[in-house]
Amino acid sequence: MTNPSPTKTGMIDFRGVNKWFGALNVLKDITLSVEPREVVVVCGPSGSGKSTLIRCINGLETIKDGDLIVDGQRLGDPATNMAQLRTEIGFVFQSFNLYPHKTALENVTLAPIHVRKIPRAEAEQAGRDLLAKVGLADKVNAYPSQLSGGQQQRVAIARCLGMRPKIMLFDEPTSALDPEMISEVLDVMVAVAEEGMTMMVVTHEMGFARKVAQRVVFMDAGAIVESGTPEEFFSAPKTDRSRAFLSKILRH
Amino acid sequence: MIWQQLQSLAGSYPLALRGLGMTVMLSLISLVLGTALGFGLGILRTGGNRLISSVIGAWVDLIRGTPFLVQIFLIFFILPEFGIELDAFTAGIIALTNLAACFICEIVAAGIRSVPTGQVEAALASGLSRWQRMRQVVLPQAMRIVLPPLVGQYVLLIKDSSVVSAIGLTDLTRVGWLVVQRVPNGLLVFFLVGVGYFIVCYPLIMLARRLERRMGAAHGEVQL
């Protein structure tokens, strides 16, 4: 998982990005730059646009205006090969979205074999290694329906890593999990972060943010309200909205 | 008297076999072609191009909303007016294939729509091409939904093939009409015709039932 940083611009660059769902301005004038090897945690109340924000990065959502430059390529530019760019971006979904008709190993090797054109034997060896790395060496031939939520999400992370991406995006990766399974997924994410992956993580897991994030971005009503180091953000939130949000999630 | 009729019927067995052969042949060819065409249309129907999708939708509605007998007459008697001469067999194949494709298109489209959006997004996010997404992710999951009604549809189409007797093809039904002129016992003759169709259809009915039972068991994919 090496991370070359060829350009002076960020790995992910939002410049005045706006997006609407009908009349609703879901992303308001977003400007944000994520450096190579940086880990950014995005938090905020539900409906604040944080999922939409990271879904724009790999083109699952399109932006209305502004510029979004990912790995040196401008999204929406005819010269940008979106399928090619997506191979450099891993995306972990809240609901895992593993392929139910394929085993854990087949889930991991599908894109390397068909998109990266890696020989099957080589892809399978890499896939086994990755599944071992996320602690699932014994589940290689299991189908998703035979795995717990935490195990499924770890397979999903391995599936992304199989493509050797430059960027990993996580959309509330632990929100659909039973509490006792959250840490096994966070541990894997910490390991990925420590290897130097550029990451954007939508999560309310403040322990994870404190441990590996260089920056916490707080969103509300489609706008970035506050941004700072985890230490600053958690101990001295600057706005009323972030204070109100933190008091809600830290109450329990 | 019934004994004489039975003897006379027994003498007609070569004709009956020919009729059965024609029914099986017609059904087989048009089901294979109709399935291929139906899958193609179903994929296009859900492919995101509004124009293509609504043109296919309109055609399917038209075919589903008109009697098959009328469609056969149109193909066999009207097309020659425009200089397209077809023999009865070709006309029958075209009409049946078209009918099969239209029903199968809707079954396939429903199956594709049943696959959760998250599956397509996951495939999209990992850079799979449109065809790879269809082939590797969407269709295998859609097949679960598609297979039981598909096989059921085959049974209906085999029975619909009896309509081609109207344009003079000597299929099982027409053999019935021919024989009943010699053996004036319609009940007996058409009972045997019915048995002929049932013999062809029953294995498929069993297969459909088996597939329906299996649907719940497999891990998202039906293995035959």
Side-chain angles (χ1 to χ4, degrees):
Chain A
M1 298 319 114
T2 53
N3 251 315
S5 48
T7 50
K8 281 197 187 99
T9 60
M11 192 66 129
I12 305 166
D13 248 325
F14 287 87
R15 295 178 191 162
V17 167
N18 275 283
K19 179 176 177 64
W20 280 268
F21 284 140
L24 186 67
N25 194 184
V26 286
L27 291 180
K28 289 180 192 154
D29 202 26
I30 300 285
T31 295
L32 172 71
S33 182
V34 179
E35 301 301 314
R37 307 174 76 86
E38 192 180 12
V39 177
V40 175
V41 160
V42 183
C43 63
S46 72
S48 59
K50 45 199 199 306
S51 288
T52 308
L53 179 81
I54 66 164
R55 285 167 61 88
C56 286
I57 296 168
N58 72 344
L60 288 180
E61 307 280 354
T62 53
I63 61 173
K64 180 73 173 75
D65 54 44
D67 284 323
L68 175 49
I69 296 146
V70 180
D71 192 23
Q73 289 173 280
R74 199 169 145 273
L75 268 63
D77 194 317
T80 297
N81 179 345
M82 206 57 218
Q84 163 64 32
L85 183 56
R86 282 183 177 124
T87 64
E88 307 295 343
I89 307 171
F91 197 101
V92 176
F93 297 87
Q94 180 178 354
S95 50
F96 330 133
N97 293 351
L98 290 183
Y99 310 127
H101 56 298
K102 294 191 181 291
T103 64
L105 183 61
E106 287 166 348
N107 265 276
V108 176
T109 57
L110 180 71
I113 290 172
H114 291 279
V115 180
R116 287 264 195 252
K117 310 290 180 198
I118 294 171
R120 181 173 293 269
E122 196 182 314
E124 283 181 353
Q125 189 50 54
R128 281 174 209 282
D129 292 347
L130 277 168
L131 285 170
K133 191 171 143 185
V134 300
L136 294 171
D138 55 335
K139 299 291 184 189
V140 166
N141 294 315
Y143 284 91
S145 59
Q146 299 166 320
L147 300 173
S148 72
Q151 291 169 332
Q152 288 189 55
Q153 194 61 297
R154 284 185 281 154
V155 173
I157 295 171
R159 176 171 69 176
C160 293
L161 293 174
M163 292 296 279
R164 304 188 173 280
K166 295 179 181 166
I167 299 167
M168 288 271 285
L169 307 171
F170 295 80
D171 187 8
E172 307 208 29
T174 57
S175 303
L177 296 177
D178 291 334
E180 75 271 21
M181 293 171 182
I182 290 176
S183 67
E184 67 190 46
V185 171
L186 290 179
D187 288 347
V188 170
M189 290 167 59
V190 168
V192 174
E194 283 171 351
E195 284 178 14
M197 181 68 74
T198 307
M199 287 167 59
M200 273 185 87
V201 184
V202 174
T203 186
H204 294 162
E205 292 296 333
M206 295 308 148
F208 172 81
R210 278 179 191 279
K211 204 164 185 177
V212 293
Q214 278 89 52
R215 201 151 32 123
V216 175
V217 169
F218 174 72
M219 287 183 76
D220 191 23
I224 293 179
V225 175
E226 191 173 333
S227 159
T229 66
E231 209 48 50
E232 290 166 359
F233 180 71
F234 293 125
S235 51
K238 286 175 234 151
T239 62
D240 289 342
R241 279 188 283 179
S242 54
R243 271 192 290 275
F245 171 74
L246 280 175
S247 75
K248 267 180 211 149
I249 63 163
L250 297 178
R251 188 181 296 157
H252 304 289
Chain B
M1 164 133 145
I2 185 93
W3 183 242
Q4 272 181 332
Q5 286 182 351
L6 280 176
Q7 271 185 319
S8 171
L9 272 179
S12 310
Y13 89 92
L15 187 62
L17 276 185
R18 243 184 70 199
L20 188 66
M22 174 59 89
T23 290
V24 169
M25 198 64 156
L26 260 176
S27 304
L28 198 66
I29 294 175
S30 50
L31 287 185
V32 168
L33 294 178
T35 302
L37 192 59
F39 268 81
L41 290 176
I43 290 169
L44 286 175
R45 179 99 163 94
T46 53
N49 183 318
R50 282 259 177 80
L51 181 67
I52 293 177
S53 178
S54 48
V55 167
I56 295 173
W59 181 251
V60 168
D61 286 350
L62 192 69
I63 295 303
R64 294 215 294 185
T66 51
F68 183 51
L69 185 62
V70 173
Q71 294 166 20
I72 284 211
F73 283 164
L74 284 175
I75 289 173
F76 191 60
F77 296 118
I78 310 294
L79 282 186
E81 300 287 322
F82 300 93
I84 304 169
E85 290 283 349
L86 296 170
D87 60 277
F89 187 75
T90 313
I93 292 281
I94 289 176
L96 260 178
T97 298
N98 177 49
L99 185 72
C102 285
F103 279 103
I104 291 168
C105 166
E106 288 303 273
I107 292 173
V108 170
I112 289 175
R113 290 193 195 103
S114 76
V115 177
T117 329
Q119 291 292 311
V120 181
E121 288 189 347
L124 205 58
S126 58
L128 292 175
S129 71
R130 193 190 159 102
W131 170 242
Q132 288 169 334
R133 293 198 295 274
M134 193 46 80
R135 168 76 189 78
Q136 299 291 338
V137 176
V138 176
L139 276 185
Q141 295 183 63
M143 284 314 278
R144 254 165 82 80
I145 307 295
V146 166
L147 268 180
L150 180 68
V151 178
Q153 191 65 50
Y154 286 170
V155 174
L156 293 177
L157 288 162
I158 290 170
K159 293 188 294 181
D160 279 339
S161 77
S162 67
V163 174
V164 299
S165 59
I167 54 171
L169 277 179
T170 313
D171 75 330
L172 203 50
T173 303
R174 193 172 160 77
V175 167
W177 284 115
L178 293 175
V179 170
V180 87
Q181 286 163 20
R182 256 187 310 127
V183 185
N185 187 339
L187 182 65
L188 183 62
V189 170
F190 280 99
F191 171 77
L192 291 174
V193 167
V195 168
Y197 279 103
F198 186 73
I199 289 169
V200 178
C201 291
Y202 191 60
L204 285 173
I205 293 173
M206 294 296 281
L207 178 64
R209 193 170 297 153
R210 225 175 111 122
L211 288 171
E212 248 161 73
R213 269 205 306 268
R214 278 221 191 169
M215 257 184 61
H219 303 286
E221 185 173 30
V222 180
Q223 269 116 20
L224 282 174

